[in-house]
Each structure stands twice: as structure tokens, then as C-alpha cells.
Amino acid sequence: MNKEFLGKIEAFLLMPIILLYYFLLPRHIVNLIISDIRVSEIKKVSFWSFAYNFSIHEDFRSTVYIRLGVRRIFVSWIKPGAKCFYNLTPHYGHSLFIQHGFATIIYAKSIGHHFFVNQQVTIGFGGDGNPTIGNNVSVRAGAKIIGNVTIGDDVIIGANAVVIKDVPSHSVVVGVPGRIIKKRNFMNESWKRVDIKL
């Protein structure tokens, strides 16, 4: 059977969540949830794309529960989010995308817009505090960002990289300890090779 059709059937079984989403949430929270909806399988954002993603993707359910805040206690028991995903971050911008989310801990001061995170990532407290993350940041599988560091805008933290110092905007970071291997010239959108230890 078509996945979209199955998602529509399950949507009717999830009426408490749908009622909360459709009628009881403040509009700004609904707008944040809409910004998180994946449109790769359903080409336009709609009520059914919310229902489909919520039914099929446990990591999307985790983003919905983040957006709901304490309201999640009324609905999260119906259908759980990603297993072993822990969020302690008080503020995210729009377009949050958790991919898989297994064994992932996110404890930042704040995270900006268009944040993408893979599985087995740790973003957390060091001896001097916890990270602040800018806009358009991607953190790949197994990466660690530890301590009172600032990650600029338009940054990619590569798989298994360990970041313990600030990262400037428009950078790609890899390795242990993390080092910048590429930096984008924002004016002409090109990338140049660099090697900067953090």
C-alpha cells in the first residue's frame, strides 16, 4: 500500500495530537512545526504532510515534542519520538531537522535557524559552559561540540569531529581535534582550502 495512504489512515488514530496541532496550539508554534516538515516525500506542506511525517518518522516526532515544550506530556505517550534522543536546549530557530537522532544529546544555550543534526551527536556542557550555535549549521554523525564555544553561521561539522573551540562562519570542520579544512568566500560563494587547528 502507498505510504502516504497509510499515513492518512494512522492520522485518524492520532486524533489527540492532530487536535492539539490544529486547534489548540498558538500560531507561532504551528509555524515552527510547519518549518520542520520534510517535503521530500510529500511535495507540499499541508495538514497531510504533517500527519504523514508524524506517523512515519520518529525523529520528526521528536522535533514536534521539542516545539510543544511542556505540552508534550499530554501526547508524547501516544507515539514516542526517537529512541535515546535527549534535548535540553531551550531555544531553536525555525527549520529543525533531526535525522535519525539515535544516541544524540543536544544541550546548547541556543541554536539558530536551519539546524541539521545526525545520529550519535553530543552537543553539551564542558567545564566552562555549553555551546551557542548559529544559523544554517549541519552537525554530522558522531560529532562532538563541547564547552562554551560559539559556532558561526553556515558551518558544517563533519562526522566524528570534536570541536572544543569557536568556529567562524562559513567553515567546514573535521578531525580530532577539529580543524577547519575549507572556508567559503561569502561574496562569490566559492570554497578555498585552508588548514586551521581549532
Side-chain angles (χ1 to χ4, degrees):
M1 260 195 266
N2 182 300
K3 281 186 179 180
E4 185 176 354
F5 177 71
L6 289 175
K8 289 180 179 181
I9 290 174
E10 188 167 358
F12 289 107
L13 304 176
L14 298 172
M15 289 310 285
I17 293 165
I18 291 165
L19 290 171
L20 180 68
Y21 170 79
Y22 224 106
F23 299 109
L24 302 175
L25 286 179
R27 190 70 214 169
H28 72 280
I29 293 177
V30 172
N31 288 339
L32 286 171
I33 292 170
I34 288 170
S35 77
D36 301 332
I37 289 175
R38 306 172 191 189
V39 291
S40 58
E41 294 169 70
I42 296 177
K43 297 304 179 189
K44 66 176 186 174
V45 174
S46 67
F47 167 73
W48 291 117
S49 60
F50 165 78
Y52 171 81
N53 278 281
F54 192 90
S55 299
I56 301 299
H57 298 295
E58 63 180 13
D59 36 10
F60 177 71
R61 291 195 292 273
S62 293
T63 66
V64 172
Y65 298 147
I66 287 169
R67 300 305 192 185
L68 291 180
V70 295
R71 298 176 187 88
R72 70 181 175 273
I73 63 174
F74 297 109
V75 292
S76 60
W77 56 272
I78 297 171
K79 202 162 174 77
K83 299 171 185 67
C84 302
F85 173 79
Y86 303 97
N87 172 63
L88 297 166
T89 300
H91 174 74
Y92 290 86
H94 60 72
S95 301
L96 167 62
F97 192 156
I98 300 166
Q99 188 170 51
H100 309 309
F102 175 78
T104 294
I105 300 169
I106 306 178
Y107 182 21
K109 290 175 187 168
S110 67
I111 293 176
H113 306 308
H114 301 287
F115 179 67
F116 174 95
V117 64
N118 274 125
Q119 69 275 18
Q120 297 179 318
V121 166
T122 299
I123 299 171
F125 187 79
D128 57 348
N130 48 338
T132 301
I133 297 177
N135 300 318
N136 196 31
V137 173
S138 176
V139 183
R140 300 300 178 161
K144 312 287 184 281
I145 305 172
I146 305 297
N148 186 26
V149 299
T150 298
I151 308 299
D153 297 337
D154 191 26
V155 170
I156 298 171
I157 308 294
N160 296 315
V162 176
V163 176
I164 55 173
K165 293 186 179 178
D166 292 352
V167 176
S169 295
H170 317 301
S171 301
V172 176
V173 177
V174 300
V176 181
R179 69 184 190 282
I180 298 170
I181 60 163
K182 290 183 181 178
K183 191 153 177 65
R184 187 170 73 167
N185 180 335
F186 190 67
M187 296 305 291
N188 63 17
E189 302 294 315
S190 65
W191 288 84
K192 60 181 179 180
R193 185 84 187 181
V194 296
D195 196 349
I196 304 170
K197 288 194 176 178
L198 295 175

